[in-house]
C-alpha cells in the first residue's frame, strides 16, 4: 500500500504541473521513481519554454530543428494553447538512463462538452551529466534497422519490408539528372524507407496524428537532407526535389516548390506524365474550372481521390515556363519567393489568359 506521503506527493505533482505546461499526469506514471520525477520537472520546463537547452546537441547536428513538430502543436482552430499536454506514460528502455516519454495533446470544448485530441507524441529522455535531455524518437525506433549506402544516399530500411535494388538504381539516376538540372553537386541524403504513411508518422514520433491515415502513400522531406518515405519504396524523387529546392531556393513559394517536385517526381503513386493526362481529362470534363481561383497548393482538391489538382497545375505551369522562358527565368522566381500571382505576371500570365494558355499548352 502506498504511504500517505507518496499519495500527497503525487497530488502535489498533479497540481503543480497543471499550473505549468503539463495539464495532467497519468496515474500509471511511477512517481516513486526519482528519474521519472526529474524527467517530469524537465519536461514541464521544456514545454513551457521550448528552449533548445533541454534537447540533445547531437539532434541539432542531424535534424537542424528536432522538435519542430510540436513547436506550435497546442494551437488549433479553437484557439492558441487549446490543446494542452498530458503525460501518458514514461516507459523504460534497455538503458537505465533512457526512457520513452508519451504525451497526448488534448483540448476541451465547453460548447459541446467534449474532449478533443490533436496528437499523441513520443520522444526520448536521457540522463546525461546529472541532467535530463530530450531527443527525437526516430533514433531509438531505427536503432536496429538495416542500413545500406548507395552513392550519396544512406538508406535505413524498415524491418517490415525488403530493400528494392531496382528502385535504388532508379533513384540514383534521377539524382544525377536533378544535380545536372539544378547545376549543383550531389550531397549526402539520409533516406528512411517505411511501408506506409502510418509507419512514417510513427518514425517522427506520433502514435496518433490526424494525417496518419488520410492517404495510402506519402512522406516528408526533412531539414538536413533527410527523406522519410511512406511509399514502401526506395524511390521518392518528389521529396528529393524538395531537398534541392530548400538548399538552393530557401524563399521558394510553396506553390512552385510542389509544382517542380511534381514535374520531376510525380505525386503519390504516379509519375508526372500520368498526372498530366489526368489533368487534360479533368479540364476537358470541367470547362469552367478556373485555375486562378485554385492557386492554394494545400487546397483539398483531388481527381480520382489520388492527386491534388493544384500540384499538377503548378507542375504543368513549371513545364510551360521552362519551355517558353527557360530555366534561369524560372530559377529567378524561385529565388525571389514572390506570391504566385506576382510570379505569374512575370511570365505574362493573369486571370484573363491563364486558363486558355494552360489548356492550349496541354493540347499541344
Amino acid at each position: 500500500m502506498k504511504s500517505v506521503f507518496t499519495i500527497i506527493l503525487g497530488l502535489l505533482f498533479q497540481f503543480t504541473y497543471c499550473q505549468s505546461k503539463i495539464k495532467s499526469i497519468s496515474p500509471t506514471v511511477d512517481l516513486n521513481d526519482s528519474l521519472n520525477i526529474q524527467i517530469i520537472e524537465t519536461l514541464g520546463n521544456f514545454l513551457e519554454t521550448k528552449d533548445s537547452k533541454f534537447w540533445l546537441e547531437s539532434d541539432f547536428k542531424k535534424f537542424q530543428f528536432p522538435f519542430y513538430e510540436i513547436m506550435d502543436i497546442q494551437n488549433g482552430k479553437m484557439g492558441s494553447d487549446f490543446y494542452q499536454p498530458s503525460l501518458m506514460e514514461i516507459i523504460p528502455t534497455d538503458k537505465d538512463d533512457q526512457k520513452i516519454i508519451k504525451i497526448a495533446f488534448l483540448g476541451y470544448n465547453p460548447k459541446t462538452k467534449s474532449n478533443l485530441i490533436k496528437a499523441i507524441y513520443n520522444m526520448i529522455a536521457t540522463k546525461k551529466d546529472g541532467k535530463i535531455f530530450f531527443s527525437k524518437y526516430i533514433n531509438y525506433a531505427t536503432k536496429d534497422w538495416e542500413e545500406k549506402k548507395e552513392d550519396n544516399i544512406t538508406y535505413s530500411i524498415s524491418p517490415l519490408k525488403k530493400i528494392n535494388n531496382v528502385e535504388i538504381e532508379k533513384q540514383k539516376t534521377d539524382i544525377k539528372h536533378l544535380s545536372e538540372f539544378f547545376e549543383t553537386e550531389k550531397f549526402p541524403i539520409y533516406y528512411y524507407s517505411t511501408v506506409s504513411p502510418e509507419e512514417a508518422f510513427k518514425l517522427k514520433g506520433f502514435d496518433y496524428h490526424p494525417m496518419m491515415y488520410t492517404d495510402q502513400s506519402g512522406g516528408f522531406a526533412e531539414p538536413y537532407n533527410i527523406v522519410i518515405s511512406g511509399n514502401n519504396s526506395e524511390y521518392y524523387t518528389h521529396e528529393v526535389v524538395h531537398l534541392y529546392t530548400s538548399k538552393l531556393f530557401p524563399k521558394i513559394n510553396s506553390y512552385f516548390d510542389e509544382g517542380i517536385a511534381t514535374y520531376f517526381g510525380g505525386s503519390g503513386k504516379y509519375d508526372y506524365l500520368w498526372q498530366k493526362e489526368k489533368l487534360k481529362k479533368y479540364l476537358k470534363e470541367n470547362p469552367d474550372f478556373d485555375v486562378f481561383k485554385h492557386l492554394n497548393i494545400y487546397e483539398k482538391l483531388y481527381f480520382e481521390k489520388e492527386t491534388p489538382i493544384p500540384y499538377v497545375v503548378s507542375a504543368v505551369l513549371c513545364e510551360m515556363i521552362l519551355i517558353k522562358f527557360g530555366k534561369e527565368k524560372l530559377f529567378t522566381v524561385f529565388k525571389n519567393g514572390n506570391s504566385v500571382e506576382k510570379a505569374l505576371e512575370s511570365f505574362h500570365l493573369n486571370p484573363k489568359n491563364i486558363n486558355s494558355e494552360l489548356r492550349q499548352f496541354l493540347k499541344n
Side-chain angles (χ1 to χ4, degrees):
M1 182 179 293
K2 290 184 178 180
S3 68
V4 174
F5 174 77
T6 303
I7 295 172
I8 293 173
L9 180 63
L11 291 173
L12 282 173
F13 267 96
Q14 289 272 7
F15 176 80
T16 300
Y17 287 97
C18 280
Q19 307 310 308
S20 71
K21 273 295 180 180
I22 301 179
K23 185 69 175 178
S24 63
I25 299 172
S26 168
T28 62
V29 175
D30 183 5
L31 296 179
N32 289 315
D33 186 314
S34 60
L35 181 57
N36 286 356
I37 298 301
Q38 191 176 2
I39 288 172
I40 292 168
E41 182 178 359
T42 309
L43 180 63
N45 291 331
F46 167 71
L47 292 172
E48 186 71 41
T49 63
K50 300 291 174 62
D51 194 324
S52 59
K53 72 179 182 181
F54 298 110
W55 214 268
L56 280 178
E57 185 179 350
S58 57
D59 260 24
F60 289 94
K61 293 178 179 177
K62 184 173 182 179
F63 302 106
Q64 188 174 22
F65 189 23
F67 52 87
Y68 79 91
E69 291 103 338
I70 58 171
M71 191 65 189
D72 297 309
I73 199 169
Q74 70 274 18
N75 301 329
K77 293 180 180 179
M78 299 295 293
S80 61
D81 286 330
F82 176 77
Y83 295 98
Q84 293 295 308
S86 294
L87 180 59
M88 296 176 65
E89 291 183 273
I90 299 180
I91 305 168
T93 68
D94 55 359
K95 296 181 179 180
D96 292 338
D97 59 353
Q98 183 185 77
K99 295 195 178 187
I100 302 169
I101 312 303
K102 193 180 297 291
I103 310 166
F105 291 89
L106 306 168
Y108 176 74
N109 187 338
K111 292 183 179 179
T112 60
K113 296 182 179 179
S114 59
N115 291 305
L116 305 174
I117 183 167
K118 179 78 172 282
I120 298 175
Y121 186 75
N122 296 295
M123 55 191 193
I124 303 300
T126 302
K127 188 169 184 177
K128 182 181 178 182
D129 299 327
K131 297 180 179 179
I132 299 298
F133 296 94
F134 300 112
S135 59
K136 288 180 74 69
Y137 182 71
I138 192 169
N139 287 332
Y140 176 82
T142 60
K143 59 185 173 65
D144 296 321
W145 284 25
E146 176 188 356
E147 281 197 1
K148 182 172 184 178
K149 185 167 175 45
E150 289 287 337
D151 198 18
N152 65 314
I153 309 178
T154 300
Y155 285 96
S156 184
I157 309 296
S158 166
L160 300 178
K161 70 185 302 296
K162 289 185 178 180
I163 195 164
N164 188 318
N165 290 303
V166 174
E167 291 174 344
I168 286 176
E169 291 302 315
K170 187 179 177 183
Q171 187 66 81
K172 285 163 65 175
T173 300
D174 273 17
I175 286 175
K176 182 177 182 294
H177 179 52
L178 289 174
S179 293
E180 291 170 354
F181 176 81
F182 287 113
E183 300 173 8
T184 188
E185 295 292 326
K186 291 185 292 185
F187 48 85
I189 294 173
Y190 203 92
Y191 189 116
Y192 294 95
S193 186
T194 74
V195 298
S196 66
E198 178 185 354
E199 190 182 15
F201 269 100
K202 286 183 176 179
L203 271 197
K204 286 168 70 69
F206 291 98
D207 278 353
Y208 171 76
H209 187 284
M211 299 299 292
M212 279 179 76
Y213 307 101
T214 57
D215 296 308
Q216 294 183 350
S217 63
F220 309 92
E222 301 278 300
Y224 280 17
N225 309 329
I226 293 171
V227 170
I228 302 176
S229 168
N231 288 342
N232 193 26
S233 172
E234 278 67 76
Y235 176 80
Y236 204 167
T237 294
H238 182 105
E239 296 302 331
V240 172
V241 171
H242 288 317
L243 300 183
Y244 278 86
T245 55
S246 65
K247 272 181 171 296
L248 300 172
F249 315 111
K251 294 182 180 179
I252 188 172
N253 187 290
S254 58
Y255 184 81
F256 290 107
D257 197 15
E258 293 299 344
I260 197 68
T262 302
Y263 172 67
F264 279 111
S267 179
K269 299 176 182 178
Y270 301 104
D271 64 16
Y272 171 56
L273 293 178
W274 184 93
Q275 315 279 6
K276 191 161 67 167
E277 287 303 313
K278 290 297 178 182
L279 181 62
K280 281 185 187 180
K281 181 174 179 287
Y282 179 85
L283 293 178
K284 187 176 181 179
E285 294 172 352
N286 298 272
D288 296 328
F289 181 82
D290 187 348
V291 170
F292 213 80
K293 293 180 179 178
H294 299 280
L295 297 180
N296 178 5
I297 201 68
Y298 303 112
E299 182 180 8
K300 299 298 181 183
L301 183 65
Y302 299 85
F303 49 71
E304 298 192 13
K305 298 180 180 180
E306 175 61 36
T307 302
I309 293 175
Y311 276 44
V312 188
V313 171
S314 178
V316 173
L317 288 174
C318 285
E319 183 186 19
M320 188 167 73
I321 291 165
L322 282 168
I323 291 172
K324 290 186 175 184
F325 296 90
K327 181 169 66 175
E328 294 308 316
K329 187 73 179 289
L330 184 62
F331 285 0
T332 299
V333 167
F334 290 174
K335 289 175 184 175
N336 292 340
N338 293 331
S339 68
V340 182
E341 293 84 352
K342 188 171 182 180
L344 291 175
E345 283 179 14
S346 65
F347 302 115
H348 314 306
L349 295 170
N350 54 61
K352 293 182 179 179
N353 70 2
I354 191 170
N355 289 288
S356 59
E357 291 283 336
L358 182 71
R359 284 171 167 83
Q360 186 62 42
F361 179 78
L362 286 169
K363 186 182 294 185
N364 293 337

